[in-house]
Every structure is written in C-alpha cells, then in structure tokens.
Amino acid sequence: SSFTPNRAHPQAVDDFLSSVYTATEPRNVFSIAVTGGGSAVIADLFTVPGASNSLMHASIPYSHAALSELLGNPQHPQSCSKETAILMAKAVFKHTVSQLLTDNDGRFDVLSEVNIFGVAGTAALVSSRPKKGLHRCHVSTFSSQNCVRTWDVY
C-alpha cells in the first residue's frame, strides 16, 4: 500500500518533488527558507517520499530580526520582495554548502558530487494588518552554477 497524505497540491507537484528527491547523477541537495504567507510549503515538502535524500535544512525566518539574521543584514530590502527572495536563496545555498562540508569532515570534493541549490520564498497574503501593496509571492533559487531563477506572482 502507498501513503496518501491529505493535501491540496496537484500530482504534478508530487512528481516534480519526487524527481528532485530521486536524482542520483548527481544527487540534488538543497535547503529552503520561506517567510510570510508561503510557510506552509515546508510541510508539503515532506508529503512526498524521499525528502531526506535531498533536503538539508528548512527554516521560517518570520520576524524582521530572524530574517535579518539569515541575511546577515539588518537593513535588508522589504520582506516580501524579489530582492529579498534572491538574498534568502543565496543565504540558504551558503548554509547548505557549509553543512555539507561539516557533514563530510571538510572534504571539498563532496561539493562536486552533488547538485547544490538554495530555495527561498516570500509572500504577502492574508494579514490582520493593512497591506503595503498587492498580495504577492516571490520564489527564487540559487544553484552551484551561480544561477539565479526567480518567479513573481501578483
């Protein structure tokens, strides 16, 4: 029998995550940080078997102080912005590299054996406070090939 979690995302999302988790040549390794309205996505990552093969770290830097700590900058851009999503993706990428080196006794050769990337998302959705603009979401990835990809939804 197979595990069927109670969730609302489409099969295509499951298929995509499964392909990320099961890649072996090279293996995918990533960390994710999400702030704002998109934080529920972290739980969704665990609804597809194989997350432990790829996911190293997941965090929700929700407060201004927590986001500043992740970014290493108390004067970061607006929390929900394309710029912040990119900075977050780079920060979790660096964390993933650091963790891989720690887990492998500082052997740099391990970095060439895996496809490393950072994923980040910021979202301004439902709130009890007045909005500073439209509902929006920004998702960014940063990879070991220094490639940044960003998606913006308004």
Side-chain angles (χ1 to χ4, degrees):
S1 75
S2 65
F3 173 71
T4 306
N6 182 13
R7 66 194 186 300
H9 52 80
Q11 184 64 41
V13 172
D14 288 357
D15 293 344
F16 171 74
L17 288 173
S18 182
S19 71
V20 169
Y21 297 160
T22 59
T24 58
E25 299 287 329
R27 180 172 66 105
N28 291 312
V29 178
F30 72 99
S31 293
I32 183 170
V34 183
T35 190
S39 59
V41 74
I42 289 178
D44 288 342
L45 294 174
F46 296 100
T47 64
V48 177
S52 62
N53 294 330
S54 296
L55 182 58
M56 291 205 71
H57 180 86
S59 65
I60 304 171
Y62 199 72
S63 71
H64 180 82
L67 185 55
S68 295
E69 182 179 333
L70 172 70
L71 300 178
N73 180 2
Q75 302 300 321
H76 61 77
Q78 180 180 359
S79 294
C80 184
S81 69
K82 178 179 183 173
E83 294 80 13
T84 298
I86 292 168
L87 291 171
M88 290 171 65
K90 288 179 178 181
V92 295
F93 169 84
K94 290 176 186 175
H95 178 81
T96 305
V97 169
S98 176
Q99 192 63 57
L100 277 169
L101 290 172
T102 299
D103 290 353
N104 290 280
D105 299 320
R107 287 187 15 247
F108 281 91
D109 61 314
V110 72
L111 300 180
S112 64
E113 299 169 2
V114 293
N115 181 33
I116 306 165
F117 55 100
V119 179
T122 67
L125 305 172
V126 178
S127 177
S128 60
R129 298 180 298 187
K131 286 281 166 215
K132 296 179 182 176
L134 300 171
H135 294 290
R136 60 205 180 279
C137 175
H138 307 277
V139 176
S140 185
T141 61
F142 184 80
S143 71
S144 49
Q145 294 81 29
N146 289 321
C147 179
V148 175
R149 295 181 196 248
T150 304
W151 298 266
D152 305 302
V153 179
Y154 293 88

